[in-house]
């Protein structure tokens, strides 16, 4: 069927109207997500010094992250962490991750596979009580994690969190290891 004259105009008008309404709805959803809360303290780029990370091997032996040999570690166990600080910015300074730079805490688990990949489930608890939950594979290179829920500033949140792992020697940072989280794709 060939569209002509009025049909082309109407189809174009409907498409343009749909696009405008979708854009307005997305902006409104972002505003509604934050509601009357002041969520401006949550920046798009956050970092987490991995202070409490521990590895639980399949037999139940616990190894602190400082003592874990990444080259010969036993796969099939689980990484666990609780209340690691979440700081503003991409590179944490363990001493400066306090006061206005501290925006919350991270807790989670990561089940390891023989390949070395890790199925990670993270949740962030922010200083205002807001929560953000996300899940993804951690395999040593930057990658997305899917947002699976949230409350407060992240009520009805969707999208992805870009995650990247660093070791202290990567930038001379006063932390054994840390993660950065890009929240610019969380809606």
């Amino acid at each position: 069927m060939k569209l002509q004259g009025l049909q082309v105009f109407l189809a174009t008008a409907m498409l343009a109207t749909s696009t405008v309404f979708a854009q307005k709805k997305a902006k409104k959803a972002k505003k509604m997500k934050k509601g009357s809360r002041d969520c401006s303290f949550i920046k798009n780029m956050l970092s987490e010094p991995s202070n409490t990370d521990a590895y639980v091997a399949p037999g139940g032996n616990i190894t602190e992250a400082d003592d874990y040999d990444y080259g010969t570690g036993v796969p099939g166990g689980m990484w666990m962490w609780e209340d690691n600080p979440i700081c503003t910015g991409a590179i944490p300074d363990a001493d400066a991750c306090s006061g206005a730079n501290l925006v919350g805490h991270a807790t989670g688990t990561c089940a390891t596979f023989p390949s070395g990949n890790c199925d990670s489930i993270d949740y962030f608890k922010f200083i205002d009580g807001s929560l953000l939950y996300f899940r993804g594979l951690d395999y040593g290179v930057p990658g997305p994690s899917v947002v699976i829920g949230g409350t407060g500033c992240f009520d009805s949140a969707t999208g992805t969190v870009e995650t990247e792992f660093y070791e202290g020697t990567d930038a001379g940072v006063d932390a054994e290891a840390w993660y950065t989280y890009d929240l610019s794709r969380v809606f």
Side-chain angles (χ1 to χ4, degrees):
M1 182 169 116
K2 190 174 182 183
L3 296 178
Q4 296 178 5
L6 183 58
Q7 292 171 323
V8 171
F9 171 77
L10 290 174
T12 304
M14 287 174 36
L15 179 61
T17 303
S18 297
T19 302
V20 168
F21 279 116
Q23 289 171 344
K24 285 184 179 181
K25 185 177 179 182
K27 285 182 182 176
K28 185 176 179 183
K30 196 167 192 175
K31 287 180 184 175
M32 287 174 52
K33 173 184 75 173
K34 294 184 178 182
S36 61
R37 292 176 174 264
D38 178 12
C39 301
S40 61
F41 69 95
I42 302 172
K43 307 301 181 196
N44 280 341
M45 188 60 75
L46 301 175
S47 58
E48 172 204 348
S50 298
N51 298 342
T52 67
D53 295 23
Y55 184 76
V56 181
N61 295 331
I62 299 175
T63 305
E64 297 299 318
D66 298 350
D67 300 324
Y68 183 80
D69 183 350
Y70 291 92
T72 61
V74 179
M78 181 174 289
W79 284 99
M80 302 167 80
W81 59 97
E82 182 177 27
D83 293 332
N84 282 340
I86 304 171
C87 314
T88 56
I91 300 178
D93 180 339
D95 296 327
C97 192
S98 60
N101 290 332
L102 179 67
V103 295
H105 291 89
T107 298
T109 60
C110 199
T112 60
F113 301 113
S115 64
N117 293 348
C118 194
D119 181 11
S120 183
I121 300 175
D122 301 80
Y123 85 84
F124 287 176
K125 182 175 184 180
F126 292 93
I127 56 175
D128 73 333
S130 294
L131 299 173
L132 177 64
Y133 300 90
F134 51 98
R135 180 179 191 171
L137 280 181
D138 179 358
Y139 44 92
V141 297
S145 295
V146 176
V147 172
I148 55 176
T151 64
C153 292
F154 296 98
D155 189 28
S156 303
T158 61
T160 59
V161 175
E162 289 292 321
T163 304
E164 190 163 359
F165 174 75
Y166 295 92
E167 291 189 56
T169 56
D170 290 341
V173 173
D174 184 21
E176 292 289 326
W178 78 94
Y179 283 87
T180 61
Y181 302 96
D182 181 351
L183 275 57
S184 64
R185 294 187 181 133
V186 176
F187 306 102

